[in-house]
Amino acid sequence: MNVTQATRLVAEREIRVKLRDRTFLFGTLFFLLIAAAGTILPPLFSGGPSTVAVTESLAAPLRAAGLEVRVVPDDRAAEQAVRDDDVDAAVVTGPAVLAMDDAPDDVVKALSTQPTVRLLDPDAVDPVVAFLVPFVFAFVFFLTSQTFGVQIAQSVIEEKQTRIVEILVAAVPVRALLAGKVVAGAILAFAQIALIAVVSVLGLQFGDSGGLLTLLAPAIGWFVPFFLIGFVLLAAMWAAAGALANRQEDIAAVSTPVQLAVMLPFFAVIFLNDNATAMRVLSYVPFSSPTAMPLRLFTGDAAGWEPIVSLVILVLAAGAFLLAGARVYEGSLLRTNGRTSLRTAWRERETIG
């Protein structure tokens, strides 16, 4: 069995185990429900256009604004329709707008004479969207890499505790064992994110947010390769951290560098997203580029060549971390007599598999 076949075998095993894990399945369902609720419920709760009681002479501008108009014979009938809760508002001679306890903004807007608006920066991103997009990109990458990374480390430690790893390394090369875990984690993470993305897109379409989808499309397109390669980089670190530990209780101590590599870029992108210089630097740092570069593409601050250069840097960094992680993994995987130091694992790599 060559390394490629062994890697595929290990990855298939990891995926089958995870798909039988109820925690993983319920977690995925939970995230799907959040995505659906966050995109579908706001338009539903916002309600439709107001129903307005009005005489025929005042109905034209309200119909033009898309409001539901109910024609009544006179102003008294219009007021009574509001009191009887048959309509949301009424327009009477004046004109004046009648409502019970809340001013109907869409009716007032339909009756107002609006001045001509000339936008000096028509392509500017809405401030609310400009705040939410960096948070969503960073949160997705942070949460996914953290969740699946911890699971990879826990899987490695469990195999060491139960001594199953001794059987595994007798059957497959150690590097294939590491590669299989990383590949399986990447596939599962991407599948989960893809499902959430599909639900979110359908929810945005339901809420008539097609304009936002158009703005996000290029950034999402670049986020996919950045996400996958960035996840591989971090997954190699998580697997190596798991191999250094001998008990589940030790995972917090050995994974501190990995935790910092995940958390610091997350907060940097969140708090510095309006700093052009900082974001330019972060978009080339391997740990932060998976979120910083797609964000700069969304805001239009990145030139066409920049994501390509950033992705190449990320690929080279991921390859280097995979090689380093494999060396640490090999040097500590069969050490079950306590926690292994990084220095020991690096210097005294065992020639196994």
Side-chain angles (χ1 to χ4, degrees):
M1 181 183 300
N2 58 38
V3 174
T4 302
Q5 292 173 328
T7 299
R8 179 178 177 180
L9 183 64
V10 173
E12 289 175 349
R13 170 183 173 273
E14 293 289 328
I15 291 174
R16 285 197 299 268
V17 170
K18 189 56 64 178
L19 292 179
R20 290 196 294 266
D21 185 356
R22 290 185 178 181
T23 302
F24 171 74
L25 296 177
F26 282 120
T28 301
L29 180 61
F30 175 73
F31 288 128
L32 292 176
L33 290 176
I34 289 180
T39 53
I40 294 176
L41 292 182
L44 290 179
F45 287 138
S46 65
S50 298
T51 302
V52 188
V54 63
T55 59
E56 184 62 44
S57 60
L58 299 174
L62 301 174
R63 288 197 180 100
L67 301 178
E68 183 178 344
V69 175
R70 181 175 300 177
V71 177
V72 293
D74 51 40
D75 291 349
R76 180 177 296 181
E79 180 179 343
Q80 191 60 44
V82 175
R83 293 185 181 277
D84 294 340
D85 201 25
D86 293 333
V87 294
D88 300 311
V91 178
V92 296
T93 303
V97 178
L98 306 179
M100 289 301 296
D101 53 17
D102 188 25
D105 293 335
D106 51 353
V107 177
V108 174
K109 183 178 179 180
L111 294 173
S112 302
T113 301
Q114 299 183 11
T116 301
V117 177
R118 184 165 57 90
L119 300 178
L120 299 178
D121 187 9
D123 297 324
V125 180
D126 182 87
V128 176
V129 175
F131 170 78
L132 290 177
V133 169
F135 179 80
V136 170
F137 276 132
F139 183 73
V140 167
F141 185 72
F142 168 78
L143 184 63
T144 305
S145 58
Q146 183 84 355
T147 301
F148 284 92
V150 170
Q151 291 174 359
I152 290 173
Q154 290 174 338
S155 173
V156 173
I157 297 173
E158 182 180 355
E159 290 172 354
K160 290 184 67 174
Q161 283 184 313
T162 58
R163 299 297 182 95
I164 293 177
V165 67
E166 297 176 6
I167 301 174
L168 292 174
V169 297
V172 298
V174 178
R175 293 199 174 195
L177 190 59
L178 170 64
K181 289 183 179 296
V182 171
V183 169
I187 291 174
L188 290 169
F190 181 72
Q192 188 180 76
I193 294 302
L195 285 174
I196 294 172
V198 168
V199 171
S200 300
V201 168
L202 293 176
L204 287 172
Q205 290 180 337
F206 178 84
D208 194 25
S209 298
L212 179 59
L213 288 176
T214 302
L215 288 174
L216 283 174
I220 293 175
W222 277 104
F223 181 66
V224 171
F226 273 99
F227 169 84
L228 288 175
I229 299 171
F231 180 87
V232 168
L233 186 155
L234 293 175
M237 296 176 64
W238 276 110
L244 293 174
N246 197 41
R247 302 177 304 161
Q248 296 290 352
E249 293 82 0
D250 296 333
I251 190 171
V254 299
S255 65
T256 299
V258 190
Q259 298 273 13
L260 292 175
V262 175
M263 293 179 65
L264 292 181
F266 169 74
F267 289 111
V269 172
I270 292 297
F271 292 112
L272 299 176
N273 68 85
D274 56 349
N275 186 317
T277 302
M279 288 301 296
R280 186 178 296 107
V281 174
L282 289 172
S283 64
Y284 291 100
V285 176
F287 296 107
S288 56
S289 61
T291 53
M293 183 56 77
L295 175 58
R296 290 185 64 216
L297 290 168
F298 170 72
T299 57
D301 295 332
W305 56 269
E306 290 193 73
I308 299 174
V309 174
S310 178
L311 191 60
V312 169
I313 294 174
L314 182 59
V315 169
L316 294 175
F321 274 88
L322 273 174
L323 293 175
R327 178 161 180 162
V328 173
Y329 190 78
E330 289 179 339
S332 56
L333 189 60
L334 293 182
R335 296 178 181 273
T336 57
N337 57 345
R339 201 169 74 194
T340 306
S341 69
L342 180 62
R343 184 175 183 178
T344 299
W346 183 265
R347 288 189 172 185
E348 301 180 16
R349 179 176 54 173
E350 301 177 44
T351 55
I352 53 179

